[in-house]
C-alpha cells in the first residue's frame, strides 16, 4: 500500500538525528582543539556515547518522533528546540555530578551550537522534502468519509486542497445520494469498497449515522485493522483541538487543550517575557519615560501614565499602564477611542500614531500581568459589552493578554466600531491560543516591529 513506507520515515528521521549528533560532537571537538590528536580518550569517548543516550532519552520523554502528516512546521521546530534544551540539561547535569571523575567538557559549547543549527535545518529540510514527495504522488494514504454533512465536506475540501499532507480522498458513503456527486454508495456498501480498494483510513461523521451504523463501522475497522477516525459535530468544528482523557474506562473529551497549559511552555514563555521586558525597561523606558513624561506635562494637565483596569488571564482585572494620550475625561473607561477623537491631545496623536503610548505595558509584562505576545487586553466595560454579542469571546482570557498579538499583525488592531471587526479579532486570538508556539511569538514580534517601522498606526 502507498502508505506503508510511513514507518520508514521515522527511522530515517532517527538515523539522521544520530548522524548529526555525532558529527556535531566531532565538529565541536575540532573547533575547540584544531585536531583529533587526543580524541581517542576514555573521557571523550564516554561523553560521546552518553550524548547519544541523552538524545535518545530526551526524544523518548518528549515523544519527539511522533510527527503526524498535519503537524505544522512551527510545531516541529518548537518541539525540536524543547528536545535540544532537555538534551543539554541532561548532559550538563551529568557532567556537574560526575566532575572531575568521569567527563570533560571543553568542546561542548561548540557542539551545542552545531547541533541546534544542523538539527533545525535537517528537520525543516526533511519535512519539506516529504511534502514535495507527497505532492508528486508518493507516501499517500487512501481515505474515505462515512456520512455527509457540513463538517465532513470541510474535511473533503481540506484533503483536496492540501496534497502535501499526502491524503488521497476517494469519496463519501452516505444513504442520501443527493448530498454530493462524490458519494460512492450507501453506508452498507462501505465494507466491500474499502477492502477492494485497500483504503488506509476511514473518517466517520458519527452525527450523520445511526448508533447501529456507527457500531458496525467500528467493528469492521477493528476486524480489518483499518484506521478509523471521527469527525466532530459541525458546531464543534471551531474548537480546533480535541483531546480524550480516560476516567477509568470512560472516555471524556476535552474540547480545548491549549499549548500554554503545559508547564514547560508556560515557563519558556514567562522566561522570555522577563528577559525581553527587562531589556526594554533598562535600555528604552529608563530614559524614554522622563522625556515623554516631560512632554506630556507641557502638552496638557494630568498624570504622565494613564492607568486603566483591564481583564487579564482567567478574567482577573489588573491595572494596565499607557502613556496618557488624552485629556482627562470621565468617558475614558467606557468609551473606546475613535479616529479624530477630540479627547486626544496633539502629543497624544503622535504617541498613538507611533505606538509609543503602549510601551509602558512592558511594566505589566515584567510584573506578570501581561505577556509580550497575546490577545490585546480590553477595558472592562468593552469586555462586558462584547461577551454578550460574540460567542466564545471569553476564551481569549485563557492566557495572559499581550502588548502585541496575532490579530494586530493580521490587521485587526485599533478601533473596533463594528461587531464583525471584533469577531474577526476574536477568531484570530483563539487561533493563537490554540496553536501557540514560541516561534510564532518571535514571528509576531518581528511583524510588529516591521509595522512600526512602516509607520502604521496601532501596530500594537
Amino acid at each position: 500500500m502507498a502508505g506503508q513506507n510511513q514507518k520508514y520515515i521515522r527511522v530515517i528521521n532517527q538515523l539522521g538525528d544520530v548522524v548529526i549528533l555525532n558529527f556535531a560532537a566531532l565538529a565541536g571537538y575540532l573547533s575547540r582543539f584544531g585536531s583529533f590528536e587526543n580524541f581517542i580518550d576514555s573521557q571523550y569517548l564516554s561523553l560521546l556515547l552518553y550524548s547519544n543516550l541523552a538524545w535518545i532519552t530526551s526524544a523518548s520523554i518528549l515523544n519527539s518522533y511522533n510527527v503526524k502528516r498535519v503537524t505544522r512546521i512551527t510545531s516541529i521546530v518548537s518541539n525540536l528546540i524543547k528536545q535540544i534544551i532537555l538534551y543539554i540539561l541532561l548532559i550538563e547535569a551529568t557532567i556537574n555530578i560526575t566532575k572531575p571523575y568521569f567527563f570533560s567538557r571543553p568542546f561542548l559549547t561548540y557542539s551545542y551550537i552545531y547541533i541546534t543549527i544542523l538539527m533545525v535545518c535537517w528537520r525543516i529540510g526533511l519535512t519539506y522534502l516529504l511534502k514535495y514527495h507527497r505532492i508528486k504522488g508518493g507516501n499517500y494514504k487512501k481515505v474515505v468519509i462515512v456520512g455527509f454533512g457540513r463538517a465532513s465536506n470541510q474535511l473533503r475540501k481540506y484533503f483536496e486542497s492540501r496534497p502535501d499532507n499526502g491524503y488521497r480522498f476517494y469519496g463519501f458513503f452516505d444513504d442520501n445520494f443527493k448530498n454530493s456527486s462524490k458519494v460512492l454508495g450507501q453506508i452498507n456498501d462501505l465494507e466491500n469498497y474499502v477492502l477492494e480498494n485497500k483504503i488506509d483510513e476511514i473518517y466517520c461523521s458519527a452525527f450523520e449515522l445511526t448508533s447501529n451504523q456507527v457500531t458496525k463501522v467500528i467493528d469492521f475497522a477493528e476486524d480489518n485493522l483499518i484506521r478509523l477516525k471521527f469527525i466532530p459535530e459541525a458546531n464543534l468544528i471551531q474548537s480546533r483541538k480535541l483531546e480524550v482523557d480516560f476516567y477509568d474506562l470512560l472516555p471524556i473529551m476535552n474540547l480545548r487543550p491549549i499549548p500554554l497549559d503545559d508547564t514547560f511552555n508556560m515557563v519558556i514563555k514567562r522566561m522570555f517575557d522577563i528577559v525581553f521586558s527587562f531589556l526594554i525597561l533598562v535600555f528604552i523606558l529608563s530614559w524614554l519615560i522622563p522625556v515623554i513624561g516631560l512632554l506630556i506635562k507641557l502638552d496638557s494637565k494630568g498624570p504622565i501614565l494613564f492607568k486603566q483596569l483591564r481583564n487579564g488571564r482567567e478574567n482577573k482585572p489588573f491595572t494596565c499602564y499607557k502613556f496618557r494620550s488624552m485629556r482627562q475625561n470621565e468617558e475614558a473607561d467606557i468609551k473606546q477611542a475613535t479616529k479624530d477623537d477630540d479627547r486626544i491631545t496633539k502629543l497624544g496623536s503622535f504617541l498613538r500614531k507611533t505606538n509609543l503610548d503602549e510601551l509602558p505595558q512592558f511594566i505589566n509584562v515584567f510584573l506578570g500581568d501581561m505577556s509580550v505576545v497575546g490577545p490585546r487586553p480590553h477595558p472592562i466595560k468593552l469586555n462586558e459589552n462584547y461577551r454578550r454579542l460574540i460567542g466564545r469571546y471569553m476564551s481569549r482570557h485563557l492566557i495572559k493578554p499581550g502588548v502585541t498579538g496575532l490579530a494586530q499583525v493580521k490587521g485587526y488592531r485599533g478601533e473596533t466600531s463594528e461587531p464583525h471587526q471584533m469577531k474577526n479579532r476574536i477568531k484570530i486570538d483563539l487561533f493563537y491560543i490554540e496553536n501557540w508556539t514560541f516561534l510564532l511569538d518571535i514571528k509576531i514580534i518581528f511583524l510588529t516591529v516591521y509595522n512600526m517601522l512602516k509607520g502604521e498606526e496601532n501596530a500594537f
Side-chain angles (χ1 to χ4, degrees):
M1 294 176 70
Q4 283 184 336
N5 60 352
Q6 180 70 24
K7 61 184 178 181
Y8 299 114
I9 295 174
R10 178 176 293 194
V11 175
I12 293 171
N13 200 346
Q14 294 168 338
L15 289 176
D17 280 7
V18 172
V19 171
I20 290 174
L21 183 71
N22 288 278
F23 175 80
L26 295 174
Y29 188 94
L30 183 63
S31 297
R32 173 65 176 81
F33 297 108
S35 70
F36 294 111
E37 181 178 352
N38 297 317
F39 181 77
I40 304 178
D41 181 282
S42 60
Q43 285 187 335
Y44 297 131
L45 293 178
S46 297
L47 183 57
L48 186 63
L49 178 63
Y50 179 74
S51 67
N52 283 269
L53 179 62
W55 184 261
I56 294 171
T57 301
S58 63
S60 177
I61 291 173
L62 298 175
N63 201 17
S64 300
Y65 298 113
N66 185 28
V67 178
K68 298 179 173 60
R69 293 167 179 262
V70 296
T71 304
R72 297 175 182 273
I73 189 69
T74 52
S75 297
I76 292 174
V77 176
S78 177
N79 292 334
L80 174 62
I81 297 301
K82 292 180 186 178
Q83 184 181 353
I84 293 173
I85 292 173
L86 180 57
Y87 163 77
I88 293 174
L89 291 176
L90 289 173
I91 295 290
E92 294 296 320
T94 303
I95 289 176
N96 289 330
I97 292 172
T98 59
K99 187 180 179 180
Y101 306 106
F102 196 47
F103 291 127
S104 178
R105 48 171 295 180
F107 62 95
L108 284 176
T109 301
Y110 293 99
S111 296
Y112 295 153
I113 295 172
Y114 292 139
I115 286 171
T116 301
I117 296 173
L118 293 176
M119 285 292 184
V120 170
C121 292
W122 161 244
R123 292 285 178 88
I124 293 177
L126 180 62
T127 300
Y128 279 109
L129 182 63
L130 282 172
K131 287 182 178 294
Y132 177 78
H133 181 54
R134 288 163 181 161
I135 289 174
K136 293 298 182 180
N139 187 232
Y140 64 86
K141 288 189 176 183
K142 302 176 183 179
V143 301
V144 295
I145 299 176
V146 185
F148 184 89
R150 184 162 65 90
S152 54
N153 195 43
Q154 282 183 292
L155 181 61
R156 186 266 306 173
K157 292 178 181 177
Y158 174 80
F159 286 147
E160 294 178 345
S161 65
R162 293 296 303 273
D164 57 309
N165 285 332
Y167 291 102
R168 185 169 295 179
F169 175 67
Y170 277 61
F172 294 99
F173 285 89
D174 192 275
D175 287 341
N176 186 355
F177 279 87
K178 297 179 181 179
N179 279 332
S180 171
S181 60
K182 295 200 173 185
V183 173
L184 301 171
Q186 294 184 325
I187 294 173
N188 288 334
D189 301 324
L190 171 71
E191 297 182 8
N192 289 334
Y193 185 90
V194 167
L195 295 176
E196 290 174 2
N197 292 276
K198 298 182 179 180
I199 298 299
D200 295 297
E201 293 182 353
I202 300 171
Y203 289 79
C204 180
S205 183
F207 294 93
E208 309 295 336
L209 280 63
T210 66
S211 59
N212 288 335
Q213 287 174 324
V214 172
T215 301
K216 189 176 179 181
V217 171
I218 293 174
D219 291 340
F220 167 72
E222 290 182 346
D223 289 342
N224 292 276
L225 303 179
I226 297 170
R227 184 66 59 86
L228 176 64
K229 299 180 180 180
F230 288 91
I231 308 170
E233 193 176 11
N235 61 6
L236 294 180
I237 289 295
Q238 293 182 41
S239 296
R240 299 180 61 96
K241 295 185 178 180
L242 302 174
E243 184 179 81
V244 177
D245 296 323
F246 283 88
Y247 294 14
D248 287 335
L249 298 178
L250 178 65
I252 302 296
M253 185 174 289
N254 178 11
L255 293 182
R256 197 182 298 108
I258 60 175
L260 288 173
D261 282 342
D262 181 82
T263 302
F264 183 87
N265 290 338
M266 195 183 304
V267 170
I268 292 295
K269 188 171 176 66
R270 180 59 186 150
M271 289 175 60
F272 176 79
D273 286 343
I274 292 173
V275 173
F276 194 92
S277 60
F278 178 78
L279 294 175
I280 296 293
L281 291 173
V282 171
F283 294 105
I284 298 180
L285 288 180
S286 60
W287 58 268
L288 191 62
I289 288 179
V291 172
I292 292 183
L294 178 61
L295 295 175
I296 290 174
K297 285 292 188 181
L298 294 173
D299 185 57
S300 63
K301 295 181 180 180
I304 295 172
L305 295 179
F306 171 66
K307 302 176 184 178
Q308 186 180 56
L309 281 180
R310 298 196 176 188
N311 296 96
R313 187 168 182 254
E314 298 179 355
N315 206 32
K316 294 179 180 177
F318 70 97
T319 302
C320 182
Y321 300 106
K322 298 177 66 175
F323 283 123
R324 182 173 60 82
S325 59
M326 293 184 177
R327 296 189 303 274
Q328 288 186 288
N329 64 93
E330 297 179 355
E331 297 179 310
D333 293 326
I334 60 174
K335 182 180 178 181
Q336 189 179 16
T338 59
K339 188 176 181 181
D340 300 323
D341 196 314
D342 59 7
R343 296 173 298 168
I344 299 175
T345 64
K346 291 182 180 179
L347 177 62
S349 179
F350 170 78
L351 294 176
R352 284 174 171 269
K353 187 174 182 179
T354 58
N355 300 286
L356 292 175
D357 62 319
E358 307 284 358
L359 288 181
Q361 288 170 26
F362 284 103
I363 300 173
N364 291 115
V365 175
F366 189 76
L367 294 176
D369 297 321
M370 294 178 64
S371 180
V372 176
V373 181
R376 288 290 295 147
H378 295 155
I380 292 178
K381 181 63 177 178
L382 193 67
N383 249 25
E384 294 301 320
N385 291 340
Y386 278 114
R387 70 182 298 179
R388 293 190 291 267
L389 298 175
I390 300 175
R392 303 178 68 214
Y393 177 88
M394 295 305 292
S395 295
R396 68 197 308 273
H397 297 295
L398 288 169
I399 65 173
K400 291 179 182 178
V403 177
T404 186
L406 182 61
Q408 281 62 49
V409 299
K410 290 288 186 180
Y412 296 98
R413 52 185 179 264
E415 181 187 357
T416 50
S417 56
E418 299 294 333
H420 75 272
Q421 294 174 311
M422 183 61 78
K423 285 182 181 179
N424 289 330
R425 177 185 288 187
I426 300 308
K427 182 179 179 181
I428 296 175
D429 284 341
L430 295 180
F431 176 88
Y432 170 81
I433 292 170
E434 294 171 355
N435 297 275
W436 176 89
T437 64
F438 180 70
L439 291 179
L440 180 58
D441 274 4
I442 300 300
K443 180 180 179 180
I444 291 171
I445 291 171
F446 275 112
L447 288 174
T448 301
V449 174
Y450 175 73
N451 289 339
M452 288 182 64
L453 294 177
K454 287 201 308 181
E456 291 192 11
E457 189 171 357
N458 295 313
F460 286 119

